[in-house]
Each structure stands twice: as C-alpha cells, then as structure tokens.
Amino acid sequence: MTETHPAVPRAGVALTAIGVAVIRAAESARPDRLYDDPFARLFVDAARRAYDHVDRGAERWARLEQVAEMFFEGRTVGVRLVDDRVAEAIEQGIRQIVLIGAGLDTRAFRMPLPADVRVFEIDLPELFAFKEPVLAAAQAVPRCERVVLATDLREDWAKLLGEYGFRPELPTHWVDEGVLGYLTHEYALHVVTTLTELSAPGSRFGVSRFAVDENARPYAELKRLVRGDEGVDRRTGLGADARTWLDEHGWRTEFHSWDDMVAAFGRPVALHDPEIGVVVAVREP
Ligand SMILES: C[S@@+](CC[C@H](N)C(=O)[O-])C[C@H]1O[C@@H](n2cnc3c(N)ncnc32)[C@H](O)[C@@H]1O
C-alpha cells in the first residue's frame, strides 16, 4: 500500500477545497501572514503525496497549484475577512456556527473559540474521507465542539443538522466561503431558504457580491479543473439580486465594499469597483 490517502479528491468540486488549502498554506508561511493555519500544510502535503500515485498526478497537481496561485491574493484576504466575522459573531454571544461547504476549513482548531461553541461542518462525504484521516494523524484537537456532517447540500441537510444537535432557537453564524457558487441557482436558493428557516433572530450570514467575468482566465481555468475540459455553463450561485431576496425574507442587510474591507491589510487587492463586496445579513426578530 503506497498511497497515504487514496481518498484524496482528484476531480469535481471537492478538489477546489485542496486549492484553498494550498492558498492557506502559502499565507501561513509568510512573515506578514494574515492568519496562521498550521493544518493547511498537512492537507497539502498529504494531497501532494497521494497525487504521486494517481494517473497523470504530477500534471494535475501542477494545474491545481497554478489555479491556486491565480486566486491567491484575493482569496487569502477573504479567509481573513471570514475569520474576523466569526470572531465578531463570538463577541456578540453567538455560539452556533455552521460552515456550509466547509472544505478543509480548520477554524474549529485554529481559532481561539470558547469551548461552548459548536461548529457544524457540512461538506461532501468524499471531502471528509480525505480530511478526517489527516486531522486524526496529526492528533488535532478542536478547541470547541466540532460536528461533521458528510452530506450533499442538495439533499435534506436540515434534517441531518437537527439530528446532530443543531438548535434552531439559538442564533447561528452561517459561513458560505465559496460553496454557493458551485451550486446551480435553484440549489443555491434552496440552501439559503433552508438556512433562513433555521435562523433564530440575531443569526448572521454573509453573501459575496462579485461582478466577475466568468470567462476571464482564472475562472475559465477553475471551471476546467472542476468540471473537466468541456465545462458546463449554467446559472450558478445566488446571483446579483441576493440582497433583495434577503431583505424580503426577514434579514436586515448592509453592504460592505471589498475595497473598504481590505484597506487595512496592505495587500494589492483593491478592485476599484464600489459594487463588489459582501452583503452582511442579520436575522430580524
Ligand atoms: C471552493 S471550496 C471552499 C471550501 C471552504 N469553504 C474553504 O474556504 O476552504 C468549495 C467546497 O464546497 C463543497 N461542495 C460543493 N458542492 C457541494 C454540495 N453539493 N454539498 C456539499 N458540499 C459541496 C466542496 O466539496 C468544497 O469543499
């Protein structure tokens, strides 16, 4: 048996999580790092080793690293912004966090979260088949309660969440860090409708508004990596009218422009477009 982690995702959406781990590992190695994720390097090394044993592994790995590099600057600042928003929610007294499309996120391990926080991680079974053995081998211990839900967001994940101890009467901080864009518009809307139904007053949710040209090179490469060379063109994610939808469904929203949010970090990521940023939503009583 030469493969250390034969379950490493090699194609499809779960693969994108490895790309983000490559980004977090690179950030964590910088002297001016915006956050430190020591587990990112472990995931990257395990994935890299496993790719040595798959067909055209070296070539595929090189492509993955190339795409990660293209997205590095903006995406890594995005991780820090989500960290800050999680810390803010904790400060406000929220103790229930749900990461939808959690990928190789390790906030339950690396952030100084109080022990009474409960973090639910939702992602596909194939993702956790890779993630959990790497964490176990590192004897990683979460700082709070961590609940793993290996399921598909296109299925009845709300029921599963309930069975695993989610409490809808408590305010929740929901994190979408790049999953809704991989779902068709109908499924993305279904996910947000579901989390809206599960959100007690004071719950929080952020929706990115990125006016991206999907045909620009980084996005075209990413699509090819995930969907194969043929690609599939369908409307995905929540779309430009997400804020209106949230306003109409019991959320109070504010818009924060990307340039304002990233100004303090001193990284070359300004986009000079006041329409790009994040809609921050708080569930009304
Ligand atoms: C770009 S990655 C982001 C991962 C993580 N949020 C991060 O920032 O590192 C997208 C994640 O969404 C997950 N995903 C995509 N479609 C999904 C689905 N239908 N159900 C559950 N997870 C899904 C993928 O497995 C992947 O981990």
Side-chain angles (χ1 to χ4, degrees):
M1 170 95 179
T2 45
E3 282 191 22
T4 316
H5 293 291
V8 67
R10 295 157 200 188
V13 283
L15 179 64
T16 62
I18 296 175
V20 191
V22 169
I23 290 173
R24 284 196 286 258
E27 179 70 39
S28 303
R30 288 172 65 130
D32 66 342
R33 58 185 162 262
L34 298 173
Y35 53 86
D36 188 14
D37 182 353
F39 302 100
R41 173 51 54 196
L42 303 181
F43 291 129
V44 171
D45 289 346
R48 178 71 193 86
R49 282 196 301 274
Y51 268 67
D52 280 343
H53 303 281
V54 308
D55 186 33
R56 294 191 295 122
E59 184 191 322
R60 289 186 196 196
W61 185 261
R63 210 164 145 193
L64 178 80
E65 281 193 324
Q66 210 179 30
V67 174
E69 202 171 313
M70 286 194 269
F71 281 90
F72 176 77
E73 290 294 353
R75 191 63 167 83
T76 198
V77 171
V79 172
R80 170 59 188 267
L81 292 175
V82 173
D83 280 7
D84 289 351
R85 210 157 295 125
V86 167
E88 221 174 80
I90 297 297
E91 238 180 75
Q92 301 279 320
I94 293 184
R95 291 293 179 269
Q96 191 162 252
I97 300 174
V98 181
L99 308 167
I100 55 171
L104 300 174
D105 186 301
T106 58
R107 290 191 173 90
F109 300 86
R110 70 178 173 84
M111 284 189 71
L113 301 176
D116 62 344
V117 168
R118 202 180 246 181
V119 174
F120 294 89
E121 296 186 10
I122 307 180
D123 209 297
L124 297 167
E126 70 215 64
L127 185 282
F128 288 114
F130 170 68
K131 182 177 187 175
E132 296 311 294
V134 175
L135 289 171
Q139 298 181 326
V141 179
R143 307 218 179 179
C144 58
E145 193 180 340
R146 171 177 180 256
V147 183
V148 166
L149 271 85
T151 189
D152 193 315
L153 285 162
R154 293 167 295 186
E155 288 166 12
D156 190 2
W157 54 273
K159 182 164 172 274
L160 204 59
L161 204 51
E163 287 167 8
Y164 277 68
F166 177 86
R167 292 177 56 191
E169 73 280 14
L170 299 180
T172 301
H173 183 71
W174 301 92
V175 177
D176 159 39
E177 201 177 3
V179 67
L180 293 179
Y182 287 101
L183 300 178
T184 63
H185 180 65
E186 291 71 23
Y187 279 123
L189 204 55
H190 180 66
V191 168
V192 178
T193 304
T194 305
L195 72 81
T196 295
E197 286 162 7
L198 294 174
S199 288
S203 295
R204 292 158 160 246
F205 180 48
V207 179
S208 299
R209 192 203 285 162
F210 280 109
V212 296
D213 172 5
E214 292 222 355
N215 296 313
R217 188 159 168 258
Y219 293 94
E221 286 294 318
L222 182 61
K223 264 193 202 172
R224 258 202 292 281
L225 192 68
V226 174
R227 298 169 181 167
D229 284 327
E230 279 145 42
V232 182
D233 283 311
R234 267 178 312 194
R235 186 177 174 209
T236 52
L238 285 179
D241 48 1
R243 185 175 187 182
T244 313
W245 189 95
L246 290 165
D247 285 337
E248 289 172 356
H249 290 81
W251 295 89
R252 190 179 68 249
T253 61
E254 274 175 21
F255 179 71
H256 298 267
S257 86
W258 172 262
D259 285 3
D260 284 351
M261 291 188 304
V262 302
F265 299 128
R267 295 283 177 93
V269 289
L271 293 169
H272 311 294
D273 182 343
E275 298 294 309
I276 296 179
V278 175
V279 175
V280 177
V282 178
R283 188 84 177 135
E284 298 202 288

